Amino acid sequence: AILTVQFSPNGADLATGSGDTTVRLWDVSSQTPRRKLEGHKGWVLCVVWSPDANLLASGSMDSTVIIWDPREALRRTHLKGHKKWISSICWEPLHRSRSGQSERLASGSEDCKVRIWHALSGRCEFVLSGHTKSITCVRWGGEGMLYSSSQDRTIKVWSDADGSQVRSLQGHGHWVNTMALSTDYALRCGVFDIQRSTAPGTPGESKLLAMEMYNSAKRDRPEKLVSGSDDFTLHLWEPVTSGKPLSRMTGHQQLVNMVAFSPDQELIASASFDRSVRLWHASSGNFIATLRGHVAAVYQVAWSADSRLLLSSSKDSTVKVWEARTRKLKVDLPGHADEVYAVDWSPDGAKVASGGKDKALKLWQN
């Protein structure tokens, strides 16, 4: 099965991770497989591109992270230290990097630890201990904070400078499964946007441009975090300023599997095992609408770059595209023979990728 898919920040390439232990690279424009990357000894659970598009990280059930050079299709470093499988990976934002190139990343594991690594030397800089159960998700914010969610019902906020714990966000009554940051889209794109598919000449220029893009996305507002839980709720937080939730968002009838801010930071979408997708106001956490149409659990959601359309993938073997403004189903993307585990929308808005149990990767043109 294909377990994870992600487009590169410039939208030119696509990476997939699979239950067959491989990572595959695909050329988006020609829609052809480019390379098969072998090195893991267990299912590949996450693949994440660095925001400068120069490196790709993959995390596996074999408890290791591999850093790949996607251009040369070579393994650069093999990061070993976790005792159990890797559940989540995130890269340091480009504007926070010392050199203006993607260098550091964080991995969260079933072993209750978060590790911060230097990607190319393979050195583990910090081990963040404090959670008492599995880490489910890690996110690296643009303000010097790293966030980790866990089955211990907490979200911990860490300093990316020294690895110390800043605060613990408590409020969920069960496992915290997923998190998203209001600035996720800007952090993911790094120096690339819809108009720009090539990076600036020097790392210094890259860092300045990434900072510019991040600041314009943030618009002088503190970064927000939304979390989704097995307690059927979402919580909205402003972790830089407070350890208390701004809003407790109720309505789902089953666990919340994924949450995502729209790129314009106006809306939050949540996917649930109750077969629905819900839309919420990102500023207040107020409920807007329920999108019904799936006939089984909804696994993932992804926004289009212009925030007008929302994608959802489900156990029911379909991928659906919804219109955010009208809250209606715009198009059904059939074709998968079984559960669709993973979905992504390219950062330039042009293409959609989906993968799942039937081992097929599908590319759709917007």
Side-chain angles (χ1 to χ4, degrees):
I2 294 173
L3 304 174
T4 174
V5 300
Q6 198 188 47
F7 284 97
S8 61
N10 56 4
D13 294 286
L14 177 71
T16 57
S18 163
D20 71 3
T21 76
T22 68
V23 174
R24 287 172 197 260
L25 294 173
W26 309 78
D27 184 282
V28 172
S29 58
S30 65
Q31 299 171 16
T32 53
R34 209 155 60 74
R35 276 295 174 64
K36 182 164 78 167
L37 307 177
E38 294 174 302
H40 283 299
K41 292 185 169 64
W43 294 4
V44 180
L45 301 174
C46 38
V47 288
V48 186
W49 291 86
S50 67
D52 63 5
N54 289 332
L55 298 169
L56 177 73
S58 59
S60 165
M61 277 185 95
D62 67 12
S63 75
T64 71
V65 175
I66 296 180
I67 307 298
W68 308 91
D69 177 336
R71 287 200 192 92
E72 304 295 326
L74 293 173
R75 179 165 69 181
R76 297 291 295 268
T77 48
H78 203 149
L79 311 178
K80 298 175 181 177
H82 283 296
K83 302 287 186 288
K84 292 187 179 172
W85 76 52
I86 310 298
S87 54
S88 183
I89 294 172
C90 60
W91 287 88
E92 179 177 35
L94 203 52
H95 70 271
R96 301 276 315 164
S97 127
R98 292 168 198 143
S99 68
Q101 290 174 298
S102 293
E103 288 178 340
R104 295 200 298 167
L105 73 159
S107 57
S109 164
E110 195 82 353
D111 68 7
C112 315
K113 304 277 195 294
V114 176
R115 286 175 176 264
I116 297 180
W117 309 86
H118 190 276
L120 293 181
S121 71
R123 190 177 76 253
C124 177
E125 290 194 353
F126 306 115
V127 181
L128 312 182
S129 306
H131 284 294
T132 55
K133 290 197 174 154
S134 301
I135 310 294
T136 54
C137 186
V138 287
R139 279 279 189 273
W140 203 318
E143 312 288 300
M145 307 281 193
L146 186 77
Y147 308 99
S148 58
S149 63
S150 166
Q151 291 179 355
D152 68 10
R153 307 187 300 202
T154 70
I155 296 161
K156 303 221 180 283
V157 185
W158 314 86
S159 159
D160 69 8
D162 59 10
S164 60
Q165 188 178 314
V166 179
R167 54 171 58 104
S168 185
L169 309 181
Q170 289 169 326
H172 281 296
H174 209 310
W175 298 357
V176 187
N177 297 322
T178 177
M179 296 183 293
L181 288 170
S182 53
T183 49
D184 270 342
Y185 180 75
L187 295 176
R188 173 187 179 177
C189 292
V191 293
F192 304 102
D193 59 17
I194 292 172
Q195 287 79 36
R196 187 187 300 104
S197 61
T198 53
T202 68
E205 289 167 354
S206 289
K207 186 170 175 171
L208 284 173
L209 182 57
M211 176 65 100
E212 215 172 276
M213 285 174 64
Y214 173 76
N215 284 336
S216 76
K218 202 168 75 92
R219 299 186 216 136
D220 297 326
R221 297 179 296 198
E223 200 163 55
K224 283 195 173 70
L225 177 87
V226 66
S227 54
S229 166
D230 263 34
D231 67 8
F232 308 172
T233 72
L234 289 78
H235 282 31
L236 186 63
W237 314 82
E238 211 168 74
V240 181
T241 54
S242 168
K244 300 267 187 298
L246 298 174
S247 171
R248 188 166 171 268
M249 299 141 75
T250 59
H252 278 300
Q253 309 294 306
Q254 287 281 337
L255 69 87
V256 180
N257 200 51
M258 187 172 180
V259 289
F261 278 90
S262 58
D264 65 8
Q265 302 173 48
E266 296 297 321
L267 301 171
I268 292 166
S270 55
S272 169
F273 275 31
D274 68 7
R275 307 186 299 223
S276 77
V277 174
R278 284 178 172 246
L279 291 178
W280 317 79
H281 285 291
S283 53
S284 61
N286 290 345
F287 171 71
I288 299 172
T290 305
L291 310 180
R292 296 193 192 280
H294 285 295
V295 294
V298 187
Y299 290 141
Q300 292 205 334
V301 285
W303 286 95
S304 63
D306 61 10
S307 303
R308 292 210 303 247
L309 301 172
L310 177 70
L311 196 61
S312 58
S313 74
S314 166
K315 185 178 178 170
D316 69 10
S317 84
T318 70
V319 176
K320 297 186 190 298
V321 182
W322 311 86
E323 215 158 34
R325 188 179 52 82
T326 62
R327 298 150 209 170
K328 297 274 191 296
L329 179 67
K330 183 174 166 65
V331 63
D332 228 319
L333 304 177
H336 280 289
D338 213 324
E339 308 186 23
V340 187
Y341 296 135
V343 70
D344 194 25
W345 207 308
S346 67
D348 60 6
K351 291 202 170 59
V352 162
S354 58
K357 205 170 178 178
D358 65 3
K359 303 185 178 69
L361 172 71
K362 295 201 175 288
L363 267 179
W364 319 83
Q365 184 84 29
N366 181 17

